[in-house]
């Protein structure tokens, strides 16, 4: 039976019916959107999908922006848990749920709306839904200072036309599903619902399985490639000195890394300079290149965490670009802005270091999308958050600037703290009967002078072997060799920086200026 000749049954069952039909249309919408989201994670998807500004992306950005509003910020930080890296996925799921929930409710009112219009304009109602939702999604972006509907030209992340087009297209998809569902016979409805559900669950399962399986496979291959010869190479489980790109941690505020095609990318140097300059990727590549390894560590890396990597990066010295632009004497700060509307700042002094580069290669290959393609800034000695990816503008300033994470309570200076980590939960037994463990240590620009190990829960400390770093920007590997019976040992590690300061033993969370405390690990000797 179709909506137009529904007999006057109890209004309760009518509501229940339209609720279920709306739910079916919402499931269809959710399935299509999940496929779009899955495509955004893959490198093979077409550009228009990779960079598609979907309504939940915008809502997510809005929710993220709210996190920087003082009272919301205070509320969040009064909660017993910190805003860890997992939080963004939870937030995204909530926002996606809100988006779908809005549709679900709107869809439930569909038959009433149709009756209100005496059915002649039922189809026109789809359009109305589309417009309503588009407004619902885009309006909240306005207070971001990004222009009405988020359509200011400085809003890199959401270019106006695709934003509107995608929001409308998804609205119309839902309206079309409603149309289909409400006109469908009741008997067919149940089967269809089961079918769609099966499809939906199947798609989610398949995507989940493929990504987990792919990850496992990649991990096994890269571990197997680690050769075995000297002590550092013989310790099973020790990090390689250079982190392959696929194993390098990825952190960003986004759920989906922005996809920035090189052909319409430029790096602009502006503000307190004599000449505003713009560089294309080819312009950058034509300038003298420097190649050096360096460690990158996220300020939210917990003690013992793996948000640290040490890759070879190639690019142009930022100093060279600044010299071309001619920095005015008043300037003392750089503000960096990126294609995902991320921004951060660091002092001019840090920018003028030899090691500070605008990088376009990681381990000899063009940057991947996740690591900032086409180009990113690397600034040694300062936590990862100031190493802006997808960078599009560098403005010279003499004003203190609060970057994306500073507005959310994280440190402004963000100087890297001395850290050390045990990589090996199982010790490697060597031919002479001794066992060996190993790990990494890093102290930013201060360098690591010494690493000590305790195998008795901190009662006594012994020096570990320290492998010299590849250069002053890279991390150190360490190895520790001792005679041990099989069993479990509580092992602790601590590093001392080039200035003679040993890392702090006090256990502190990463917020606001980096975790402190010794890494402690139960190591199995077999
Ligand atoms: N544009 C942009 N740059 C960014 C971020 C971001 O969200 N957007 N995250 C920062 C943070 S918090 C870290 S730790 C590093 C991580 O770099 P990686 O993903 O290459 O390891 O990028 C930084 N640069
Ligand atoms: Mo970070």
């Amino acid at each position: 039976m179709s909506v137009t000749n529904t007999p006057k049954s109890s209004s309760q069952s009518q509501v229940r019916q339209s609720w279920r039909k709306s739910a079916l249309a919402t499931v269809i919408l959710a399935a299509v959107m999940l496929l779009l989201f899955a495509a955004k994670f893959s490198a093979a998807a077409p550009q228009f999908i990779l960079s598609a500004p979907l309504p939940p992306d915008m809502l997510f950005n809005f929710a993220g922006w709210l996190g920087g509003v003082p009272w919301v910020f205070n509320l969040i930080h009064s909660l017993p848990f910190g805003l860890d890296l997992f939080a963004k996925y939870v937030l995204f799921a909530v926002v996606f749920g809100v988006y779908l929930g809005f549709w679900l409710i709107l869809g439930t009112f569909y038959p009433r709306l149709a009756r209100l219009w005496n059915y002649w304009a039922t189809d026109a109602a789809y359009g109305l839904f589309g417009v309503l939702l588009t407004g619902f999604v885009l309006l909240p972006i306005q207070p971001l200072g990004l222009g009405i509907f988020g359509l200011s030209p400085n809003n890199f992340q959401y270019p106006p036309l695709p934003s509107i087009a995608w929001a409308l297209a998804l609205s119309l998809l839902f309206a079309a599903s409603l149309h289909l569902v409400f006109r469908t016979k009741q008997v067919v409805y149940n089967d269809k619902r089961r079918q769609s559900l099966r499809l939906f669950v199947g798609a989610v399962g398949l995507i989940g399985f493929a990504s987990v399986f792919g990850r496992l496979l990649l991990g096994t291959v890269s571990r197997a490639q680690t050769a075995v010869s000297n002590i550092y190479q013989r310790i099973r489980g020790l990090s390689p000195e250079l982190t392959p790109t696929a194993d390098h941690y990825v952190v960003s505020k986004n759920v989906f890394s922005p996809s920035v095609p090189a052909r319409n990318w430029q790096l602009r140097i502006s503000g307190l300079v004599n000449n505003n300059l713009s560089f294309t990727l080819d312009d950058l590549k034509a300038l003298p290149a420097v190649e050096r390894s360096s460690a990158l560590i996220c300020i939210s890396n917990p003690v013992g965490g793996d948000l640290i990597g040490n890759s070879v990066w190639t690019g142009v010295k930022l100093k060279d670009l600044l010299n071309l632009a001619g920095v005015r004497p008043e300037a003392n700060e750089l503000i960096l802005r990126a294609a995902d509307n991320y921004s951060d700042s660091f002092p001019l002094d840090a920018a003028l270091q030899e090691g500070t580069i605008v990088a376009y290669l990681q381990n000899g290959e063009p940057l991947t999308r996740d690591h900032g393609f086409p180009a990113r800034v690397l600034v040694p000695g300062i936590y990862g958050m100031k190493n802006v990816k997808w960078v599009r503008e560098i403005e010279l300033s003499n004003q203190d600037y609060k970057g994306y994470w500073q507005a959310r309570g994280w440190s402004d200076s963000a100087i890297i703290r001395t850290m050390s980590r045990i990589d090996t939960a199982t010790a490697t037994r060597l031919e002479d009967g001794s066992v060996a463990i190993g790990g990494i240590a890093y102290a930013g620009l201060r360098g690591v002078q010494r690493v000590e190990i305790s195998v008795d829960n901190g009662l006594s400390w012994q020096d570990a072997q320290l492998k010299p770093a590849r250069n002053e920007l890279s991390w150190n590997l360490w190895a520790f060799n001792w005679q041990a019976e099989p069993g479990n040992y509580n092992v602790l590690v601590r590093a001392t920086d080039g200035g003679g300061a040993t890392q702090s033993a006090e256990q502190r969370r990463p917020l606001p200026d980096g975790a402190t405390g010794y890494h402690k690990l139960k190591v199995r000797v077999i």
Side-chain angles (χ1 to χ4, degrees):
M1 65 193 158
S2 72
V3 164
T4 41
N5 54 20
T6 305
K8 293 261 174 286
S9 56
S10 85
S11 74
Q12 224 183 18
S13 88
Q14 260 181 41
V15 167
R16 207 180 309 128
Q17 248 184 46
S18 53
W19 175 262
R20 280 154 75 192
K21 289 184 175 183
S22 176
L24 174 55
T26 309
V27 165
I28 295 174
L29 178 73
V32 170
M33 294 198 70
L34 282 174
L35 286 175
L36 284 171
F37 290 149
K40 276 167 162 272
F41 280 119
S42 102
Q47 183 59 34
F48 81 99
I49 289 184
L50 285 179
S51 56
L54 304 181
D57 297 358
M58 289 184 259
L59 278 174
F60 170 76
N61 198 49
F62 175 65
W65 170 83
L66 273 182
V69 174
W71 70 265
V72 180
F73 168 81
N74 290 331
L75 189 80
I76 291 169
H77 289 289
S78 66
L79 297 174
F81 49 86
L83 256 187
D84 52 317
L85 297 161
F86 190 57
K88 72 177 181 187
Y89 297 105
V90 176
L91 186 63
F92 191 83
V94 168
V95 155
F96 188 36
V98 166
Y99 175 77
L100 292 177
F102 182 78
W103 272 129
L104 187 67
I105 292 164
L106 261 188
T108 310
F109 289 108
Y110 180 79
R112 288 180 204 196
L113 196 68
R115 214 174 303 132
L116 194 76
W117 268 324
N118 217 6
Y119 304 110
W120 66 264
T122 321
D123 290 350
Y126 315 144
L128 179 74
F129 284 167
V131 172
L132 271 181
L133 193 84
T134 307
F136 172 77
V137 170
L138 295 182
L139 260 176
I141 316 295
Q142 191 191 346
L144 286 170
L146 299 175
I148 212 160
F149 292 152
L151 303 183
S152 117
N154 289 330
N155 181 0
F156 300 132
Q157 204 168 358
Y158 304 122
L161 280 179
S163 304
I164 293 176
W166 275 102
L168 268 175
L170 289 166
S171 311
L172 290 176
L173 169 75
F174 182 75
S177 312
L178 275 184
H179 177 77
L180 209 84
V181 167
F182 276 96
R183 299 276 166 105
T184 308
K185 298 243 183 313
Q186 186 60 38
V187 213
V188 186
Y189 160 69
N190 270 324
D191 283 340
K192 274 222 162 149
R193 185 179 64 163
R194 244 175 249 127
Q195 256 175 30
S196 318
L197 255 175
R198 230 177 280 137
L199 204 80
F200 171 73
V201 172
V204 173
L206 205 72
I207 293 159
F209 176 78
S211 54
V212 169
F213 186 73
R215 274 246 148 236
L216 282 179
L217 205 71
L218 285 176
T220 318
V221 170
S222 74
R223 265 194 297 281
Q225 281 165 347
T226 317
V228 181
S229 71
N230 68 30
I231 179 95
Y232 295 102
Q233 285 167 352
R234 296 178 64 175
I235 298 174
R236 282 187 297 275
L238 175 61
S239 302
E241 191 153 34
L242 289 175
T243 312
T245 307
D247 296 345
H248 195 285
Y249 85 91
V250 173
V251 165
S252 88
K253 70 171 179 66
N254 316 291
V255 170
F256 309 107
S257 293
S259 171
V260 184
R263 69 187 129 74
N264 39 33
W265 175 85
Q266 287 202 330
L267 176 62
R268 197 160 64 235
I269 312 248
S270 64
L272 298 174
V273 287
N274 296 326
N275 325 293
N276 287 321
L277 294 179
S278 280
F279 298 90
T280 64
L281 187 55
D282 286 336
D283 292 341
L284 290 185
K285 286 181 178 165
L287 290 167
V290 287
E291 178 189 288
R292 81 290 180 295
S293 59
S294 59
L296 193 64
I297 176 169
C298 181
I299 193 164
S300 61
N301 189 40
V303 171
D306 57 6
L307 299 180
I308 180 167
N310 195 70
S311 284
V312 176
W313 301 91
T314 309
V316 185
K317 280 185 202 167
L318 182 51
K319 189 172 77 171
D320 293 350
L321 300 182
L322 296 180
N323 284 341
L324 287 172
V327 175
R328 298 230 206 105
E330 319 88 87
N332 56 17
E333 175 105 333
L334 272 75
I335 304 169
L336 305 102
R337 298 194 180 87
D340 59 343
N341 275 330
Y342 184 84
S343 65
D344 214 326
S345 66
F346 53 76
L348 180 59
D349 290 347
L352 296 177
Q353 296 174 102
E354 292 291 312
T356 304
I357 62 173
V358 176
Y360 48 79
L361 301 181
Q362 179 179 11
N363 296 321
E365 300 286 333
L367 297 190
T368 59
R369 177 156 64 108
D370 282 341
H371 290 294
F373 184 85
R376 71 166 320 159
V377 169
L378 288 170
V379 50
I382 305 182
Y383 276 117
M385 64 178 171
K386 305 254 169 188
N387 293 250
V388 175
K389 304 191 270 191
W390 313 289
V391 62
R392 299 198 11 175
E393 184 179 356
I394 297 177
E395 181 192 329
L396 277 290
S397 165
N398 58 4
Q399 238 119 81
D400 188 34
Y401 182 83
K402 267 197 173 184
Y404 184 88
W405 289 115
Q406 284 74 68
R408 287 154 183 81
W410 292 85
S411 163
D412 196 8
S413 57
I415 306 295
I416 293 172
R417 292 181 180 276
T418 305
M419 63 78 72
S420 52
R421 185 183 74 193
I422 307 161
D423 286 349
T424 48
T426 304
T428 303
R429 179 75 70 181
L430 303 174
E431 293 82 3
D432 64 357
S434 65
V435 295
I437 57 170
I440 55 154
Y442 190 54
L445 292 176
R446 298 178 304 283
V448 175
Q449 190 179 82
R450 181 182 195 191
V451 169
E452 294 163 283
I453 302 297
S454 170
V455 291
D456 54 10
N457 229 341
L459 283 176
S460 63
W461 291 88
Q462 288 163 273
D463 276 313
Q465 298 177 46
L466 190 63
K467 188 173 192 215
R470 292 184 93 236
N471 58 33
E472 69 280 11
L473 308 179
S474 293
W475 68 18
N476 292 77
L477 297 185
W478 59 262
F480 184 71
N481 197 203
W482 89 105
Q483 299 289 338
E485 299 301 318
N488 287 324
Y489 295 79
N490 277 323
V491 179
L492 285 144
V493 63
R494 69 181 185 202
T496 300
D497 73 15
T502 299
Q503 69 180 87
S504 161
E506 189 197 339
Q507 296 287 340
R508 271 169 50 186
R509 306 168 141 276
L511 188 73
D513 48 18
T516 67
Y518 298 161
H519 185 209
K520 176 177 173 173
L521 193 68
K522 197 177 278 305
V523 173
R524 210 154 65 99
V525 172
I526 38 181

